[in-house]
Amino acid sequence: MNAPLSPIALSRSRRAGVTINGKPVAVEWSARAQRALQARATPLIVELELYFSCLVKKFVHFRERSGSHALTPVNERLSLYFRPVMSTACSFETANRLGRQPETDITTESVRKIAPKQVWLDYRRGNWVGEFWL
């Protein structure tokens, strides 16, 4: 999270527990996010991407569709999926052209044992923001 949450913000947040890769995941979202979810015509899909490249990076993407990824429903308005990926190339030209290195899903037995421990979602100034911890 960018700024520490006040006790008031935490008391107004929503919480749910889900299971990813057989491990419990705590999902929490702000009151602002709850209002934005209620205003949506369709459920929000949150991709939790663990990106292995030169460094390990974490990204939270907000999607309208899941593609072929299996969803973990949090409630009727919110679903998420965890997606470990690795880069398939390492060149400045490719990164400049695409905005990042191309990636492929990682499906090894070791990676199937990894899951986020906690997810935080918010809706600030008209944009979804999120973070997750391993």
Side-chain angles (χ1 to χ4, degrees):
M1 290 176 277
N2 293 337
L5 290 174
S6 71
I8 294 171
L10 282 173
S11 69
R12 293 183 183 158
S13 66
R14 309 300 192 268
R15 295 180 179 100
V18 298
T19 302
I20 294 177
N21 289 339
K23 298 184 186 275
V25 179
V27 182
E28 192 167 356
W29 59 101
S30 69
R32 287 184 301 252
Q34 179 64 30
R35 287 189 297 275
L37 287 170
Q38 290 299 120
R40 292 178 55 84
T42 59
L44 178 67
I45 297 170
V46 180
E47 175 186 345
L48 307 172
E49 180 185 56
L50 184 60
Y51 182 73
F52 292 90
S53 186
C54 300
L55 298 170
V56 177
K57 302 172 190 167
K58 299 180 298 178
F59 298 98
V60 178
H61 304 285
F62 298 91
R63 311 278 189 211
E64 295 299 322
R65 293 177 188 79
S66 67
S68 62
H69 303 287
L71 294 175
T72 301
V74 176
N75 60 36
E76 68 282 350
R77 299 252 177 211
L78 178 64
S79 293
L80 51 86
Y81 63 95
F82 179 58
R83 184 175 176 237
V85 299
M86 67 181 189
S87 61
T88 61
C90 283
S91 76
F92 289 117
E93 184 273 323
T94 302
N96 288 335
R97 186 169 36 86
L98 299 176
R100 64 186 265 171
Q101 301 293 344
E103 77 269 344
T104 186
D105 291 338
I106 304 173
T107 58
T108 66
E109 185 65 33
S110 296
V111 170
R112 284 193 289 274
K113 294 177 183 176
I114 300 171
K117 292 184 190 287
Q118 186 175 6
V119 179
W120 169 254
L121 305 173
D122 199 359
Y123 191 75
R124 296 182 193 148
R125 297 185 177 111
N127 295 300
W128 289 101
V129 294
E131 193 168 339
F132 69 96
W133 295 265
L134 297 173

